């Protein structure tokens, strides 16, 4: 059964408990530590984006179109649709000779307040570039162009782009392609399912690809370096995901996903971590992840100091008064 990962307090009482599971693995796939059921199978959702972006490098698109670190980082993004995110995605499309009509991610309102207000004041509607997955889709399109594949069917499972993603997920996780179920993500792209242990293994190898095939050995460090150099592109300013990447300075590759999933890899330790809350709520990810890193002896002092506000996030009311906190509720097994 899932176990308690975090308590949310108000006053002297525990008002809410977030249950879930987590797994810690090394680059050999060995389970180092766990809470709950590390064999629980879930969909990768957006946590797969750094792995999906490997194809942008492997296809030759990153070099052919001279992608900057910012452009490569946004290919891994669940961004907020801010002006800087939109500009970066449009820059990728311009480089590869396509426009926004090529994006098949769908459209939703920008999550960034300033950009959303700008659209409303201009009586304008959001476009596909405002979709939080537009960076991933622009990266897929770049791979299409580099491989000479059809950009009109890039979401099909038998398309070269999707086949390469499937292969990379399989090699990194150690799970055969035939044993990886697939469904459809919110943006229309395929999303794959596997155990938390397999996810942790995949991110351990993404962070420490020494024993991986050469195409992954060459691509993985570039993805890790890009997200560390331009962490705001991966999520948004002030988000835990972006601040963790910024503070990690290349020591961490991390990506949150829908339904309470957060996956990270540690380049200096060769470890991967996958955390998932049963209720799909990610608000406890920061204290859970930082407690986990501290328990493993992997929370370096500078990292802890930079992320001190996330160790036990405060619960405040409308008057700015602290009325509770979110705190870890588990010990590693």
């Amino acid at each position: 059964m899932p176990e308690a990962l975090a308590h949310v307090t108000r006053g002297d009482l525990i008002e809410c408990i977030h249950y879930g599971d987590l797994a810690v693995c090394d680059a050999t796939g060995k389970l180092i530590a766990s809470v709950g059921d590390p064999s629980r199978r879930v969909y990768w959702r957006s946590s797969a984006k750094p792995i999906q972006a490997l194809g942008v490098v492997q296809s030759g698109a990153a070099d052919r179109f001279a992608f900057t670190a910012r452009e490569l980082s946004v290919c891994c993004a669940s961004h907020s649709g801010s002006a800087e995110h939109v500009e970066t995605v449009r820059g990728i499309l311009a480089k590869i000779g396509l426009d926004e009509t090529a994006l098949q991610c769908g459209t939703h309102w920008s999550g960034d307040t300033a950009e959303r207000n700008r659209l409303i004041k201009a009586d304008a509607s959001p476009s596909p570039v405002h979709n939080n997955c537009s960076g991933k889709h622009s990266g897929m399109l770049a791979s299409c162009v580099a491989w000479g594949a059809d950009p009109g069917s890039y979401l099909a499972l038998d398309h070269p782009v999707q086949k390469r993603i499937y292969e990379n997920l399989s090699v990194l996780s150690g799970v055969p392609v035939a044993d990886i179920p697939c469904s459809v993500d919110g943006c229309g792209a395929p999303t794959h399912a596997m155990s938390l242990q397999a996810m942790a293994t995949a991110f351990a190898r993404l962070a420490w690809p020494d024993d991986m095939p050469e195409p992954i050995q060459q691509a993985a460090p570039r993805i890790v370096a890009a997200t560390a150099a331009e962490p705001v592109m991966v999520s948004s300013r002030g988000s835990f995901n972006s601040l963790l990447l910024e503070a990690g300075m290349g020591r961490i590759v991390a990506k949150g996903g829908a339904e309470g999933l957060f996956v990270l890899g540690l380049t200096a330790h060769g470890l991967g971590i996958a955390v998932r809350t049963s209720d799909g709520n990610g608000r406890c990810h920061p204290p859970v992840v930082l407690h986990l890193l501290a328990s493993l002896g992997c929370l370096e002092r500078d990292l802890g100091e930079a992320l001190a506000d996330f160790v036990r996030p405060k619960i405040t009311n409308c008057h700015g008064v602290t009325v509770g906190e979110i705190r870890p509720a588990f010990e590693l097994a």
Side-chain angles (χ1 to χ4, degrees):
M1 295 293 293
E3 296 183 20
L5 296 182
H7 291 160
V8 183
T9 67
R10 185 173 296 270
D12 296 328
L13 297 180
I14 296 173
E15 188 172 43
C16 176
I17 301 176
H18 290 293
Y19 291 90
D21 311 277
L22 65 84
V24 182
C25 294
D26 65 17
T28 70
K30 179 182 178 182
L31 184 67
I32 302 299
S34 65
V35 173
D37 182 6
S39 68
R40 192 175 305 283
R41 243 183 356 174
V42 300
Y43 284 106
W44 272 97
R45 305 297 298 273
S46 286
S47 289
K49 287 176 177 175
I51 296 176
Q52 291 171 318
L54 290 173
V56 181
V57 177
Q58 294 169 335
S59 67
D63 290 331
R64 175 178 168 181
F65 301 111
F67 284 167
T68 63
R70 172 166 284 218
E71 289 166 339
L72 197 52
S73 184
V74 86
C75 292
C76 307
S78 295
H79 62 70
S80 63
S82 68
E84 60 186 335
H85 291 129
V86 168
E87 178 186 11
T88 305
V89 173
R90 284 177 173 157
I92 291 175
L93 293 173
K95 283 184 175 182
I96 65 176
L98 297 174
D99 59 29
E100 297 176 33
T101 61
L103 293 170
Q104 297 180 27
C105 53
T107 303
H108 60 66
W109 280 98
S110 171
D112 179 77
T113 302
E115 178 65 9
R116 184 172 64 250
N117 288 347
R118 184 192 70 79
L119 290 169
I120 293 171
K121 289 177 181 178
D123 195 24
S125 298
S127 70
V129 291
H130 291 96
N131 187 299
N132 73 316
C133 293
S134 64
K136 174 182 78 174
H137 282 251
S138 65
M140 291 178 177
L141 285 169
S143 296
C144 282
V145 176
W147 273 323
D150 175 24
S153 59
Y154 72 92
L155 297 184
L157 277 178
D158 60 352
H159 191 280
V161 166
Q162 301 304 331
K163 289 172 71 174
R164 177 57 62 93
I165 289 171
Y166 234 135
E167 292 167 6
N168 285 335
L169 283 167
S170 176
V171 171
L172 286 166
S173 66
V175 180
V177 168
D179 295 336
I180 303 177
C182 186
S183 188
V184 182
D185 213 332
C187 64
T191 184
H192 310 81
M194 60 182 63
S195 70
L196 293 174
Q197 182 173 349
M199 291 178 172
T201 298
F203 260 64
R205 291 171 174 170
L206 182 68
W208 189 299
D210 294 21
D211 295 328
M212 293 291 98
E214 186 174 349
I216 290 179
Q217 284 190 37
Q218 306 232 337
R222 293 184 63 177
I223 294 298
V224 174
T227 59
E230 297 287 351
V232 171
M233 287 294 106
V234 176
S235 181
S236 60
R237 295 191 179 277
S239 71
F240 174 66
N241 201 152
S242 289
L243 291 174
L244 178 64
L245 290 168
E246 179 181 6
M249 295 186 293
R251 293 169 292 177
I252 294 174
V253 56
K255 187 67 187 68
E259 304 301 342
L261 183 63
F262 198 89
V263 189
L264 64 152
L266 308 176
T267 61
H269 302 276
L271 294 178
I273 297 167
V275 178
R276 202 230 187 197
T277 56
S278 300
D279 61 2
N281 194 319
R283 68 171 171 171
C284 68
H285 284 158
V288 167
V289 168
L290 294 177
H291 177 63
L292 186 52
L293 292 177
S295 299
L296 293 168
C298 299
L299 187 62
E300 286 87 351
R301 181 176 178 180
D302 64 321
L303 189 65
E305 291 176 349
L307 300 169
D309 290 343
F310 291 98
V311 173
R312 289 196 171 193
K314 296 176 181 179
I315 303 295
T316 58
N317 65 13
C318 295
H319 303 281
V321 176
T322 298
V323 296
E325 66 180 9
I326 307 174
R327 63 192 187 205
F330 67 93
E331 296 300 330
L332 288 183

